[in-house]
């Protein structure tokens, strides 16, 4: 919109004074002329009453400031527009993203910690002696795409995801806390908005580790790191410590907890997540499935867990969105969907490695309003394993759905 300027001109008023002259007559020599009586001076006219002071116009009532939703506020903190944001995660490399002329809002990468000398992101998987260089590289890649970097902190895999003994091992927990501090120190140096997904799956296993599903009743080493010296040595303290480190060290970082419901019930999981401090974060991480539906249907590599109905019907999607809305309202934070499978719709079950069928990309990007209504700020699509579909193997399906969406994106409330 143009920035027009209007000029105003003032005309000065010219006052003209008019001079009036009076003529006087001379006396006659006739003495019989009676003198002209002196008439009394007329009473002076009363001074006109002063005009009443004008009644001041009432001050205009200020218009109320528009209310911005938490979803739109999160997008603003990321430096992004108030529309449903779309990102890409694992399995989608930067070269492929650029070659398809995609402009994701978010670029997500894992930060895992596996046993062995080259198993940690903190030592750059053995490729660099400078701690944290991997974080710097991913942040630079995100910048090259105009995206916000997202880091999925996945450190409790170090001793096996379902291993409560890790919580009692002071040396191992010290390593985990040292690396958590390192991440947020690197993000402080980056000094731009970045998203951090705090430990997927941990909270589901921790629910089981906690007596009575109360995270304050299970020991875990926490106050061995200076940022958390005043926090309790419990599972609840783990979540609170992660929040404290993020806030103390990298104020521009935006953090989110991923609830894990291993059959516990949505309201029970919400209660547990709030006990570990999830409501003190910036968003809640949602997930549909960590593999393509077709991979489970074919029982492919890394897809052998029991179950059925992986390829969702309309009613399953509706149930999922209702559950997501319960997390949005229960924890009180906007949602970001993460690691959403990238398979291609098909009437035939299964498929082939890296070319599995799935309908989540299609459903989400054809009906983005359903995500927004559930409380979403964004959705990130990515592969949960190397054998899953990505933008290199989906035949251009994501590219087409993304292009269709971005022409008319769905606004956040």
């Amino acid at each position: 919109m143009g920035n027009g300027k209007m000029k105003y001109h003032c005309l000065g008023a010219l006052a003209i004074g008019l001079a009036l002259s009076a003529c006087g007559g001379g006396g006659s020599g006739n003495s019989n002329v009676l003198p002209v009586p002196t008439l009394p001076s007329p009473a002076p006219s009363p001074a006109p009453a002063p005009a009443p002071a004008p009644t001041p116009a009432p001050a205009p009532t200020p218009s109320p400031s528009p209310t911005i939703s938490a979803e739109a506020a999160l997008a603003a903190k990321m430096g992004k527009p108030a529309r449903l944001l779309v990102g890409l995660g694992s399995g989608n490399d930067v070269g492929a993203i650029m070659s398809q002329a995609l402009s994701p809002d978010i670029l997500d990468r894992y930060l895992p910690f596996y046993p062995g000398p080259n198993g940690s992101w903190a030592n750059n998987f053995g490729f660099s002696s400078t701690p944290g260089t991997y974080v710097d590289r991913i942040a630079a890649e995100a910048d090259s795409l105009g995206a916000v970097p997202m880091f999925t902190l996945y450190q409790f895999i170090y001793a096996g995801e379902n291993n409560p003994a890790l919580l009692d091992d002071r040396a191992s927990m010290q390593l985990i806390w040292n690396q958590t501090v390192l991440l947020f120190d690197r993000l402080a140096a980056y000094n731009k908005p970045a998203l951090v997904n705090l430990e997927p799956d941990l909270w589901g296993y921790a629910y089981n580790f906690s007596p009575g599903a109360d995270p304050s009743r299970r020991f875990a080493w926490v106050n061995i790191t200076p940022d958390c010296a005043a926090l309790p040595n419990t599972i609840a303290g783990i979540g609170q410590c992660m929040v404290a480190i993020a806030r103390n060290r990298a104020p521009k970082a935006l953090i989110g907890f991923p609830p894990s419901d291993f059959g516990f019930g949505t309201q029970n999981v919400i209660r547990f997540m709030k006990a570990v401090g999830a409501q003190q974060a910036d968003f809640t991480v949602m997930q549909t499935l960590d593999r393509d539906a077709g991979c489970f249907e074919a029982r492919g590599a890394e897809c052998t867990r029991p179950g059925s109905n992986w390829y969702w019907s309309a009613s399953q999607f509706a149930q999922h969105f209702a559950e997501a809305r319960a997390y949005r309202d229960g924890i009180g934070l906007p949602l970001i969907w993460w690691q959403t499978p990238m398979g291609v719709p098909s009437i035939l079950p299964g498929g082939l490695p890296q070319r599995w069928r799935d309908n989540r990309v299609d459903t989400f990007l054809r009906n983005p309003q359903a995500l927004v209504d559930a409380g979403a700020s964004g959705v990130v699509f990515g592969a949960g394993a190397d054998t899953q579909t990505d933008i290199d193997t989906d035949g251009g399906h994501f590219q087409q759905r993304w292009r269709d969406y971005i022409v008319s994106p769905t606004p956040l409330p």
Side-chain angles (χ1 to χ4, degrees):
M1 184 169 62
N3 183 18
K5 295 183 180 179
M6 187 174 294
K7 296 182 179 179
Y8 296 89
H9 297 276
C10 292
L11 216 326
L14 179 61
I16 304 176
L18 299 179
L20 300 180
S21 298
C23 296
S28 144
N30 188 347
S31 59
N32 293 322
V33 178
L34 293 174
V36 179
T38 301
L39 298 177
S41 300
S45 301
T55 303
T61 302
S63 301
S65 299
T67 300
I68 184 170
S69 68
E71 289 76 14
L74 178 61
K77 289 178 183 178
M78 296 166 61
K80 292 295 179 181
R83 58 164 172 78
L84 180 70
L85 306 177
V86 178
L88 286 168
S90 297
N92 302 294
D93 65 77
V94 172
I97 293 171
M98 288 181 169
S99 70
Q100 293 191 23
L102 299 171
S103 300
D105 297 299
I106 300 166
L107 180 71
D108 171 58
R109 293 291 185 260
Y110 268 95
L111 298 181
F113 181 24
Y114 298 111
N118 298 327
S120 174
W121 65 270
N123 68 358
N124 315 298
F125 307 108
F127 292 109
S128 171
S129 59
T130 304
T133 302
Y134 182 71
V135 171
D136 304 341
R137 180 166 71 83
I138 298 306
E141 288 183 352
D143 283 348
S144 73
L145 297 169
V148 175
M150 180 175 184
F151 298 95
T152 294
L153 195 60
Y154 191 53
Q155 299 191 114
F156 282 79
I157 190 67
Y158 175 67
E161 291 179 295
N162 194 14
N163 184 3
L166 174 64
L167 306 178
D168 305 309
D169 185 340
R170 179 172 180 143
S172 295
M173 288 296 293
Q174 186 69 70
L175 284 173
I176 285 173
W177 290 125
N178 290 348
Q179 294 187 169
T180 304
V181 167
L182 174 63
L183 167 61
F184 287 102
D185 281 349
R186 296 317 308 148
L187 294 181
Y190 177 59
N191 199 32
K192 298 178 187 178
L195 305 175
V196 181
N197 175 11
L198 296 168
E199 298 293 347
D201 295 338
L202 168 64
W203 311 109
Y205 293 117
Y207 188 105
N208 278 328
F209 301 159
S210 304
D214 181 352
S216 68
R217 295 175 58 191
R218 175 58 168 90
F219 179 86
W221 283 109
V222 173
N223 65 17
I224 53 177
T225 188
D227 295 73
C228 307
L231 292 176
N233 284 324
T234 64
I235 287 175
I238 291 176
Q240 295 163 23
C241 184
M242 290 177 176
V243 173
I245 291 172
R247 301 301 190 226
N248 291 345
R249 294 180 176 269
K252 290 186 180 179
L254 303 165
I255 57 176
F257 286 83
S260 298
D261 186 353
F262 297 168
F264 310 132
T266 302
Q267 292 304 318
N268 289 331
V269 174
I270 290 171
R271 176 187 54 78
F272 182 85
M273 295 307 300
K274 292 178 77 172
V276 302
Q279 74 280 10
Q280 299 170 21
D282 302 290
F283 59 95
T284 295
V285 180
M286 287 300 298
Q287 190 175 359
T288 58
L289 193 62
D290 61 348
R291 305 285 190 273
D292 292 314
C295 185
F296 286 110
E297 292 169 336
R299 297 187 65 77
E302 303 179 294
C303 301
T304 57
R305 75 177 70 125
S308 60
N309 299 321
W310 306 105
Y311 194 86
W312 283 357
S313 64
S315 62
Q316 285 174 292
F317 276 107
Q319 181 180 355
H320 173 72
F321 290 133
E323 180 185 34
R325 186 71 219 188
Y327 280 113
R328 167 65 182 88
D329 294 339
I331 297 176
L333 297 175
L335 311 175
I336 292 181
W337 266 261
W338 164 76
Q339 197 172 264
T340 308
M342 303 192 71
V344 179
S346 172
I347 60 172
L348 299 176
L352 296 171
Q354 297 186 317
R355 290 180 172 84
W356 305 111
R357 79 162 184 160
D358 201 281
N359 57 351
R360 287 161 179 80
V361 167
D362 214 58
T363 300
F364 280 16
L365 292 185
R366 285 186 185 275
N367 186 25
Q369 189 65 51
L371 289 126
V372 171
D373 290 345
S377 287
V379 54
V380 178
F381 297 92
D386 291 340
T387 58
Q388 303 307 295
T389 311
D390 58 41
I391 59 172
D392 271 329
T393 63
D394 71 349
H397 178 252
F398 177 84
Q399 180 189 45
Q400 188 57 57
R401 294 285 78 78
W402 178 82
R403 285 178 175 175
D404 291 344
Y405 167 74
I406 212 66
V407 167
S408 182
T410 301
L412 299 175

